[in-house]
Amino acid sequence: MYDMKALYQAKSVKDAVALRLAHPEAQIIAGGSDVLVQMREGKRAGAELISIQALDEIRGVSMEEDGTLRIGSLTSFSHITRDPLIQKYINVLGEAVDQVGGPQIRNIGTIGGNTCNGVTSADSASTLFAWDAVVELTGPEGVRRQPIQEFYIKAGKVDLREGEIQTAILIPKESYERCFGHYIKYAMRNAMDIATLGTSVNVRLSADKKTVERARVAFGVAGPVPLRAGTAEKAAAGQPLTMDLADRFAQAVKEDIHPRDSWRAAKDFRLHIAVESAKRAFIESVRLAGGAF
Amino acid sequence: MEKHKIQYETIRFNLNGEDVERTVDVRASLTDLLRNDFRMTSVKKGCEVGECGACNVLIDGEAFNSCIYLAVWAQGKRVRTLEGLLGPNGELSDIQQAFVDEAAIQCGFCTPGFLLTAVEILESGKEYTDEELRKLLSGHLCRCTGYENILRAVKKTMYRRLGKV
Ligand SMILES: Cc1cc2nc3c(=O)[nH]c(=O)nc-3n(C[C@H](O)[C@H](O)[C@H](O)COP(=O)(O)OP(=O)(O)OC[C@H]3O[C@@H](n4cnc5c(N)ncnc54)[C@H](O)[C@@H]3O)c2cc1C
Ligand code: FES
Ligand code: FES
């Protein structure tokens, strides 16, 4: 038995918002792979829960009329990886979430939970940062959209306001068009391990594949929340594609990241793997985009 | 202590092919429900925090660690446990027999969980490489066998079902 005070099961998004307003103390539970573990550990003991598990309306991936890719917040990791739209437009996200935990966790865990927990090591987060994802929140006043970078306030805290739930993650067309990316999860084990560092890079090349039009890079566990490395991105934008550029791009990430010492890894080690991962992920992204050095 | 009213909900779901109905305490995990109400003791309690896979069951064909799944969520779902793999007279299924043949079982605590993940793998009808199978089986801990025999049992059954032996 879980140490739970009460459970309210939402029947629709509207119902979930009403339950949030009626029970401001209650916590949302989606797949439960964070919430139930923390309840078992005592961190959330005695809490009231609002379950959104049954809201099929926010499950699945679809394409909106203007070309925006919509990922319902309740979509599980395994469904994201298998989804044809994801594979076609942002395959790196499917690959990144295919590295979460193990197979059962990927059937249980949702992308909404992975972003609303505000955790820097979340395997989807660095890729969502690197692709300028937009978070859709539904609350008493309706729907609001917010760039994912602004959604994260601090470690473990995101901008979820009174009565709100996250209903989707959106990837605008301008963000994914002609972009190819690669994610590297650096962890101590191949499965069932949290990232020591997560690196997600994507590039858009010119038509002749000789120039980097745009390169974006984001990290998890390089700071209290996931972050973009703007200096590196500026160093690469509009530059001719050379191996030297890959090096300069990778070295520049050191200007932007602030990893810390933890029991998982020392700060210097994280800096080292950040540079190396950025370089490897850049090279692989270029290869996927059809470029050659 | 604060007085606390126990909250119950009645759910219907399909368990190993049979439609069932139960009134459950909302605080129960699916592991609790399957073990206590249905005596499905193949569903093991290992870590109870989603790490080991001993409590794994199939929900609508996908492997879930039932220890981090609320019992009330089973409403309307198809749930399968190891007990459902047996034939009408208790015969072992091909994958269970393969675990026996390959000595993929020692103490047996991890076995039901592994078997249901194996069922999900086999029912996909796909052929996987060793590396892919290792990844697909990586959500289970076995403290006895060293995994090689388990991998072999799943692989042999996969080839047999694909008509490739
Ligand atoms: C064994 C194990 C291994 C794991 N390995 C990894 C790993 O390798 N990488 C990784 O990134 N994570 C890992 N996790 C963590 C977890 O699986 C993920 O963070 C998952 O995405 C959480 O999703 P969920 O739906 O289960 O979230 P829940 O536990 O239901 O919720 C998580 C948090 O988000 C909030 N929330 C959820 N959905 C919404 C919503 N739609 N609107 C508003 N708030 C919401 C909840 O209130 C809660 O605070 C692991 C967990 C376990 C148990
Ligand atoms: S008992 Fe459920 S995963 Fe260990
Ligand atoms: S056989 Fe003992 S844990 Fe696997």
Side-chain angles (χ1 to χ4, degrees):
Chain A
M1 294 283 168
Y2 286 101
D3 186 354
M4 181 196 307
K5 190 164 164 202
L7 177 73
Y8 312 105
Q9 294 206 73
K11 294 183 183 64
S12 63
V13 169
K14 224 175 130 214
D15 190 25
V17 171
L19 285 169
R20 287 268 285 148
L21 292 173
H23 307 280
E25 299 293 303
Q27 302 168 9
I28 296 170
I29 179 167
S33 59
D34 284 320
V35 169
L36 293 176
V37 170
Q38 288 159 11
M39 189 164 260
R40 191 81 85 195
E41 285 168 348
K43 270 187 235 149
R44 293 186 193 244
E48 294 175 59
L49 299 180
I50 297 172
S51 167
I52 58 168
Q53 170 82 214
L55 307 188
D56 285 341
E57 61 191 292
I58 54 168
R59 204 169 251 128
V61 181
S62 58
M63 182 65 83
E64 302 197 324
E65 251 165 45
D66 66 353
T68 302
L69 197 61
R70 163 181 286 271
I71 308 168
S73 293
L74 275 183
T75 314
S76 68
F77 296 126
S78 59
H79 285 230
I80 288 172
T81 304
R82 263 184 258 140
D83 190 89
L85 290 169
I86 296 285
Q87 289 173 358
K88 185 160 176 205
Y89 297 109
I90 179 168
N91 191 44
V92 55
L93 181 64
E95 289 177 349
V97 299
D98 197 38
Q99 296 177 50
V100 171
Q104 300 97 292
I105 298 299
R106 296 194 284 270
N107 288 336
I108 297 167
T110 67
I111 193 150
N114 207 224
T115 44
C116 289
N117 64 10
V119 170
T120 186
S121 60
D123 279 306
S124 67
S126 41
T127 298
L128 295 175
F129 269 65
W131 291 69
D132 295 301
V134 173
V135 175
E136 182 192 270
L137 302 143
T138 303
E141 264 96 62
V143 173
R144 79 183 164 95
R145 294 180 167 191
Q146 190 180 39
I148 194 155
Q149 299 206 43
E150 292 166 23
F151 182 60
Y152 281 72
I153 296 172
K154 58 178 189 186
K157 177 110 184 87
V158 293
D159 188 11
L160 267 171
R161 301 181 193 161
E162 203 185 325
E164 279 184 341
I165 70 165
Q166 192 204 82
T167 40
I169 304 256
L170 309 166
I171 315 287
K173 186 171 183 190
E174 202 286 313
S175 176
Y176 65 73
E177 231 176 4
R178 295 192 293 115
C179 288
F180 296 85
H182 187 62
Y183 174 70
I184 296 177
K185 175 176 184 172
Y186 189 98
M188 299 304 160
R189 299 178 76 241
N190 289 333
M192 304 300 279
D193 198 2
I194 299 298
T196 302
L197 188 84
T199 308
S200 194
V201 174
N202 63 88
V203 301
R204 188 160 75 195
L205 301 181
S206 59
D208 65 2
K209 316 272 185 209
K210 296 222 155 61
T211 308
V212 175
E213 276 184 17
R214 175 174 76 181
R216 293 176 293 182
V217 52
F219 292 99
V221 211
V225 294
L227 55 87
R228 285 276 284 271
T231 312
E233 295 183 5
K234 279 197 204 86
Q239 297 298 307
L241 184 57
T242 60
M243 206 38 111
D244 180 54
L245 179 67
D247 275 319
R248 276 186 286 132
F249 170 79
Q251 289 297 334
V253 305
K254 285 194 284 195
E255 304 296 323
D256 301 305
I257 64 175
H258 335 279
R260 63 183 183 102
D261 286 311
S262 83
W263 63 268
R264 270 183 217 281
K267 179 179 172 192
D268 289 344
F269 180 64
R270 280 208 175 88
L271 275 173
H272 174 74
I273 52 178
V275 171
E276 191 57 34
S277 300
K279 183 174 171 185
R280 290 185 194 183
F282 180 83
I283 291 172
E284 180 59 15
S285 301
V286 166
R287 195 190 65 77
L288 291 167
F293 289 95
Chain B
M1 232 178 86
E2 191 187 346
K3 265 248 178 77
H4 179 241
K5 217 165 97 208
I6 297 176
Q7 190 187 347
Y8 293 100
E9 250 168 65
T10 300
I11 58 163
R12 284 162 207 231
F13 65 107
N14 186 284
L15 178 58
N16 294 326
E18 201 187 316
D19 289 328
V20 294
E21 185 181 298
R22 273 295 180 286
T23 299
V24 299
D25 185 329
V26 297
R27 299 169 302 168
S29 70
L30 182 59
T31 314
D32 292 328
L33 175 69
L34 293 171
R35 288 183 62 87
N36 301 345
D37 290 48
F38 294 97
R39 294 280 170 259
M40 298 281 159
T41 51
S42 72
V43 185
K44 301 295 179 209
K45 285 196 173 188
C47 63
E48 291 202 80
V49 286
E51 295 274 350
C52 74
C55 62
N56 178 40
V57 301
L58 295 184
I59 300 176
D60 289 347
E62 296 183 14
F64 276 68
N65 291 335
S66 62
C67 70
I68 49 171
Y69 191 89
L70 295 179
V72 291
W73 286 344
Q75 165 62 34
K77 299 278 194 292
R78 270 188 337 113
V79 178
R80 288 163 74 194
T81 69
L82 177 94
E83 286 81 354
L85 298 183
L86 298 172
N89 299 310
E91 305 95 333
L92 296 183
S93 59
D94 57 350
I95 181 67
Q96 289 169 289
Q97 189 60 51
F99 267 60
V100 175
D101 295 342
E102 298 300 325
I105 310 168
Q106 286 182 33
C107 79
F109 197 81
C110 68
T111 313
F114 261 117
L115 281 166
L116 286 150
T117 285
V119 168
E120 186 187 357
I121 294 171
L122 296 168
E123 289 183 352
S124 76
K126 290 191 196 132
E127 184 174 339
Y128 296 101
T129 62
D130 280 15
E131 199 193 335
E132 286 167 336
L133 285 178
R134 278 180 209 279
K135 184 168 179 199
L136 289 167
L137 293 167
S138 65
H140 296 272
L141 291 176
C142 175
R143 298 293 79 177
C144 308
T145 65
Y147 304 106
E148 286 302 319
N149 296 353
I150 294 170
L151 178 71
R152 201 171 303 125
V154 177
K155 195 161 83 174
K156 285 198 172 165
T157 313
M158 176 182 77
Y159 284 131
R160 229 176 270 131
R161 286 207 193 173
L162 293 169
K164 295 204 172 172
V165 211

